[in-house]
Amino acid sequence: MTNHRPVVRIIGAGPTGALLAILLQRRGHSVELYESRTDPRELPAESGRSINLALADRGIHALRWAGVFEEIEHALLPMRGRLIHDSQGRTSLQPYGQRSNEVIYSVSRHRLNQALLDVAARLPGVTAHFEHRFEAAEFDEGTALIRDLRRGRLITIPMEPLLATDGAGSAMRRRMSSLHLIDAHETDLEHGYKELSIPADSAGRFRLDRDALHIWPRGNFMLIALPNQDGSFTATLFLSKHGEPGFQQLTGAAAIDRFLSESFPDARELMPDAIAQFERNPVGFLGTVSASPWHHRGMTALIGDSAHAIVPFHGQGMNCCFEDCVEFDACMDRYSSWEGVFGEFFARRKPNTDAIAAMSLDNYREMRELVAHPKFQLQQALSLELERRHPGRFIPRYSMVMFHHEIPYETAQKRGFIQAGLLAELTAGAVSSVADVDFERARREIDARLSPL
Ligand SMILES: Cc1cc2nc3c(=O)[nH]c(=O)nc-3n(C[C@H](O)[C@H](O)[C@H](O)COP(=O)(O)OP(=O)(O)OC[C@H]3O[C@@H](n4cnc5c(N)ncnc54)[C@H](O)[C@@H]3O)c2cc1C
């Protein structure tokens, strides 16, 4: 986008909307943000439950791109690997990567959003309207209706353009779909989630290793925990909604206590009020959103979760949304019309967001079940060894997704598929340790099947 710099309106001031506002302002646009909730900066830093997210290379790259990484860097807690808790209470660490920078970071969702909004709101030309809910779009007229929730009145705004970053349940996406302007599907997972908190000890210290993402893999369900700056951990139980065990069947203190004590005895001990938390906290839905296309003419485009929400098992949802913002910014370099920008953004991004959606679903089985299997652990160790021996040619799929923003998700998925076949072949039969692997054969196969990156 060059000469003409119109006002850009955005609905939803979550991570995607706030970052996009910063990038658009940098290009000289005035930005009006409409957010249905109250301003998160008016809430205390750690009000209520502390919910955290894993931030990785793609997200960090985008934050650096927008010049806001320094605002949040101090609030990041590095996690160097998965710390697996088996049912006997034994633990083992599976490192995420092999270089010192190959770590992911736990960050408070609330703090991150506050920091992004702080930066956006300081910029001249960015105005954020909180408690303003998008309600409807009239495509024939090119207008949208926003309700000012404080005054109870409706405001009409033009949609040229109106960017919809209103999250997984996007009202804009549903409106476009109901008018058959796009084809959109929401696929719910049979499993839901519940957040619990593991408090710090009486001296404010962490009660589990603070440098890891903790996992209690139990086959068809799992508990995970990420550290918070105040010494607590946010734990999340992922479990089937129906069936046994299932959220629906877990009612009453005795049933909840039995389930938690039998499945995660060590974690249960660290959560004296687990039953009260379990009864108080809601079961969250998990699902995948797929839409095509993501835009209507030059009027509106879906960006972030509103276009492609994914299940959280790769810790990539927000990272992917941040990468969207960088890609959207790049598309603005190449096109002078919004229709051109939106079309190019969709064409470039869709194969990659489809790929991360599929890999995130794959990763659920990996986290809740495979991480505990000796064969999987052998293949993990072997993939790190192959990366050491063939750098730039063999990179573990997890590393491609988490530590290499320059490798598109689609490439990570395709190469990951080839590599998975190779790892299965190299560890077949009696191979029980990395030392048993035929590395000469590995070299030949890598040369034949994987082009240099
Ligand atoms: C359990 C769980 C764990 C996760 N863990 C991770 C992780 O570790 N790492 C990671 O990268 N991602 C993770 N994610 C995904 C991440 O939360 C999302 O990808 C990210 O929040 C999407 O950002 P967004 O701004 O597009 O949407 P949202 O964060 O949903 O923000 C949308 C905003 O729009 C506002 N809004 C909604 N409707 C309207 C309306 N009608 N009018 C005006 N405003 C509206 C909302 O109030 C909200 O502020 C996780 C998700 C879940 C559910």
Side-chain angles (χ1 to χ4, degrees), residues 292-314:
S292 177
W294 294 341
H295 57 100
H296 181 62
R297 306 211 180 109
M299 283 184 201
T300 191
L302 306 169
I303 306 177
D305 266 19
S306 62
H308 51 67
I310 58 180
V311 293
F313 306 114
H314 222 306

Side-chain angles (χ1 to χ4, degrees), residues 126-418:
V126 175
T127 312
H129 308 270
F130 293 95
E131 296 173 66
H132 278 66
R133 186 175 64 216
F134 162 81
E135 297 214 329
E138 301 301 339
F139 290 93
D140 290 340
E141 281 133 52
T143 56
L145 292 178
I146 305 280
R147 185 171 296 278
D148 173 345
L149 298 170
R150 279 178 233 170
R151 297 186 184 81
R153 54 173 191 165
L154 272 179
I155 306 164
T156 303
I157 58 166
M159 284 209 291
E160 295 199 355
L162 177 64
L163 305 179
T165 57
D166 53 343
S170 170
M172 177 64 94
R173 184 188 69 244
R174 289 176 179 163
R175 173 84 178 144
M176 290 163 85
S177 171
S178 71
L179 294 172
H180 306 290
L181 302 176
I182 62 169
D183 191 19
H185 304 277
E186 299 170 25
T187 313
D188 281 349
L189 200 67
E190 169 31 34
H191 290 212
Y193 72 95
K194 193 179 278 276
E195 267 144 5
L196 303 168
S197 174
I198 299 177
D201 71 9
S202 53
R205 287 178 306 229
F206 290 95
R207 298 167 84 191
L208 292 167
D209 183 341
R210 60 175 286 174
D211 290 339
L213 188 153
H214 295 260
I215 309 183
W216 290 258
R218 296 295 180 264
N220 202 30
F221 57 96
M222 67 176 179
L223 183 73
I224 68 167
L226 277 72
N228 295 310
Q229 282 204 311
D230 63 0
S232 68
F233 281 81
T234 302
T236 312
L237 171 65
F238 294 95
L239 176 70
S240 174
K241 284 180 272 188
H242 312 283
E244 212 177 322
F247 281 118
Q248 213 172 50
Q249 157 252 338
L250 284 174
T251 50
I256 296 166
D257 192 22
R258 195 176 327 113
F259 170 71
L260 293 177
S261 304
E262 284 172 7
S263 309
F264 318 109
D266 49 349
R268 172 72 184 91
E269 266 180 35
L270 302 176
M271 294 185 283
D273 66 339
I275 298 168
Q277 288 193 52
F278 199 100
E279 289 183 321
R280 194 173 56 235
N281 297 345
V283 175
F285 286 90
L286 298 167
T288 303
V289 164
S290 169
S292 177
W294 294 341
H295 57 100
H296 181 62
R297 306 211 180 109
M299 283 184 201
T300 191
L302 306 169
I303 306 177
D305 266 19
S306 62
H308 51 67
I310 58 180
V311 293
F313 306 114
H314 222 306
Q316 277 292 304
M318 182 191 60
N319 286 279
C320 175
C321 293
F322 283 170
E323 194 172 73
D324 272 4
C325 297
V326 175
E327 288 279 334
F328 191 84
D329 197 40
C331 292
M332 284 192 282
D333 268 340
R334 285 193 292 276
Y335 285 84
S336 56
S337 72
W338 288 113
E339 194 162 1
V341 173
F342 297 168
E344 169 80 354
F345 173 67
F346 173 69
R348 284 169 66 114
R349 219 45 204 136
K350 176 72 172 160
N352 288 309
T353 57
D354 283 351
I356 190 58
M359 289 190 285
S360 300
L361 281 165
D362 289 352
N363 233 41
Y364 190 23
R365 185 163 170 244
E366 180 168 320
M367 287 178 85
R368 69 175 200 256
E369 183 185 344
L370 299 181
V371 289
H373 287 194
K375 201 64 151 189
F376 175 85
Q377 291 164 5
L378 170 61
Q379 291 182 358
Q380 291 294 98
L382 176 59
S383 44
L384 292 177
E385 180 58 29
L386 291 176
E387 184 186 29
R388 265 191 293 275
R389 290 172 181 244
H390 307 276
R393 202 140 187 159
F394 190 108
I395 303 178
R397 187 178 93 173
Y398 184 85
S399 300
M400 286 191 275
V401 171
M402 304 305 273
F403 308 132
H404 289 271
H405 69 264
E406 73 288 358
I407 302 178
Y409 287 126
E410 192 188 19
T411 307
Q413 186 189 33
K414 285 185 179 151
R415 293 181 75 99
F417 185 72
I418 298 169

Side-chain angles (χ1 to χ4, degrees), residues 82-94 208 214-218 263-267 371-374 377:
R82 295 164 167 162
L83 206 134
I84 309 297
H85 297 249
D86 76 10
S87 25
Q88 269 76 51
R90 290 174 303 216
T91 58
S92 58
L93 181 72
Q94 297 179 3
L208 292 167
H214 295 260
I215 309 183
W216 290 258
R218 296 295 180 264
S263 309
F264 318 109
D266 49 349
V371 289
H373 287 194
Q377 291 164 5

